[in-house]
């Protein structure tokens, strides 16, 4: 996988501190606890590249990982934690909304959703922010191992139907960090995005 050589690069908490937009990057976004860190770790075949099971809502920073050759994986702060204070929520909206809408070196977004609870209001907000850019979004429906084949297939079909209607530049697949379902498929697509 192209992510195998990923190494921590930098942490950013303000838009002005973003690295120069010289390379190509892919952003990972998702509701807290959806399985974003686990997905990144599965793609990177590493134990703890991103920290799994952090206190939800606390990690408000953008974390950059370098994949070599000016290619970056960008881990956005998880969202949707119920008890987040309004000023933290405003900071998140400014930072993430601003990043997604203005970042010229951003190729596309990977949106992580728990296959059992897809398309929450903030997931839809992320899609809406990004839709105006015309850039691709790839949805990973994580924790597919938690559902039967039939249930997972139904969830995939429902999300696909929603995306086809509203976000034709989106693709979607099932994913599990537990069984590795979909890891190779995702790695292949993201490698193509990065030109690797
Ligand atoms: P994040 O907050 O989105 O980064 O989510 P984490 O990756 O920290 O995962 C949250 C919880 O879900 C942890 O307890 C993980 O072990 C669990 N988890 C993540 N991915 C999977 C998966 O594919 N299958 C199962 N069964 N559990 C998962």
């Amino acid at each position: 996988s192209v992510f195998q050589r990923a190494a921590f690069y930098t942490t950013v908490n303000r838009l002005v501190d973003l690295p120069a937009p010289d390379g190509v990057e892919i952003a990972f976004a998702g509701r807290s606890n959806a399985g974003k860190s686990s997905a990144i770790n599965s793609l990177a075949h590493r134990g703890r590249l991103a920290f799994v099971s952090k206190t939800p809502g606390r990690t408000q920073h953008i974390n950059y990982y370098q994949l070599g050759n000016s290619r970056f994986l960008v881990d956005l702060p998880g969202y949707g934690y119920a008890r987040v204070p309004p000023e933290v929520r405003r900071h998140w909206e400014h930072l993430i909304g601003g990043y997604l809408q203005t970042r010229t070196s951003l190729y596309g977004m990977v949106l992580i959703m728990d296959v059992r609870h897809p398309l929450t209001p903030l997931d839809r907000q992320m899609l809406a922010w990004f839709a105006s850019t015309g850039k691709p979004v790839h949805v990973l429906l994580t924790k597919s191992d938690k559902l039967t084949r039939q249930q997972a297939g139904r969830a995939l079909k429902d999300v696909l139907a929603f995306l086809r209607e509203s976000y034709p530049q989106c693709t979607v697949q099932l994913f599990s960090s537990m069984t590795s379902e979909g890891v190779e498929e995702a790695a292949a697509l993201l490698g193509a995005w990065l030109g690797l």
Side-chain angles (χ1 to χ4, degrees), residues 128-146:
W129 270 335
F130 210 51
S132 62
T133 67
K135 294 175 182 177
V137 176
H138 188 58
V139 174
L140 300 182
L141 294 175
T142 55
K143 310 192 190 185
S144 65
D145 59 278
K146 297 258 197 189

Side-chain angles (χ1 to χ4, degrees), residues 3 8 29 33 36 73 85 99 101 135 137 149 186 193 196:
F3 296 97
F8 178 76
N33 218 40
K36 175 160 58 68
L73 185 166
Y99 169 80
Q101 293 188 318
K135 294 175 182 177
V137 176
R149 286 289 83 194
W193 279 11
L196 293 171

Side-chain angles (χ1 to χ4, degrees), residues 3-193:
F3 296 97
Q4 242 153 330
R5 285 159 294 143
F8 178 76
Y9 185 70
T10 191
T11 286
V12 174
N13 195 31
R14 304 180 308 165
L15 290 173
V16 293
D17 293 332
L18 285 165
D22 296 332
V24 182
E25 61 201 46
I26 295 176
F28 279 67
R31 192 171 58 84
S32 292
N33 218 40
K36 175 160 58 68
S37 304
S38 300
I40 291 171
N41 288 332
S42 295
L43 288 163
H45 297 295
R46 288 221 184 169
R48 294 176 66 82
L49 182 65
F51 292 112
V52 177
S53 292
K54 324 142 292 282
T55 304
R58 188 170 290 171
T59 318
Q60 292 298 320
H61 298 68
I62 297 178
N63 290 305
Y64 269 76
Y65 298 91
Q66 187 162 32
L67 309 172
N69 260 342
S70 301
R71 308 297 208 283
F72 298 94
L73 185 166
V74 181
D75 188 13
L76 301 180
Y79 50 79
Y81 186 54
R83 274 161 295 184
V84 72
E87 66 273 19
V88 174
R89 169 73 192 262
R90 277 195 297 275
H91 175 72
W92 178 82
E93 286 182 345
H94 176 74
L95 183 65
I96 305 309
Y99 169 80
L100 290 177
Q101 293 188 318
T102 65
R103 184 72 174 165
T104 52
S105 52
L106 178 58
Y107 186 92
M109 174 169 68
V110 177
L111 185 55
I112 312 289
M113 303 193 291
D114 187 322
V115 68
R116 298 166 300 173
H117 320 283
L119 296 168
T120 65
L122 285 173
D123 294 331
R124 291 165 195 252
Q125 161 118 77
M126 297 296 285
L127 287 166
W129 270 335
F130 210 51
S132 62
T133 67
K135 294 175 182 177
V137 176
H138 188 58
V139 174
L140 300 182
L141 294 175
T142 55
K143 310 192 190 185
S144 65
D145 59 278
K146 297 258 197 189
L147 297 181
T148 65
R149 286 289 83 194
Q150 192 180 17
Q151 290 169 325
R154 160 61 59 186
L156 178 64
K157 211 171 142 212
D158 288 349
V159 173
L160 199 54
F162 170 83
L163 292 175
R164 280 233 181 89
E165 184 88 355
S166 314
Y167 302 98
Q169 76 279 30
C170 282
T171 49
V172 57
Q173 66 162 97
L174 295 171
F175 190 96
S176 169
S177 301
M178 193 82 105
T179 65
S180 294
E181 177 180 17
V183 172
E184 291 314 316
E185 182 184 350
L189 179 75
L190 302 183
W193 279 11

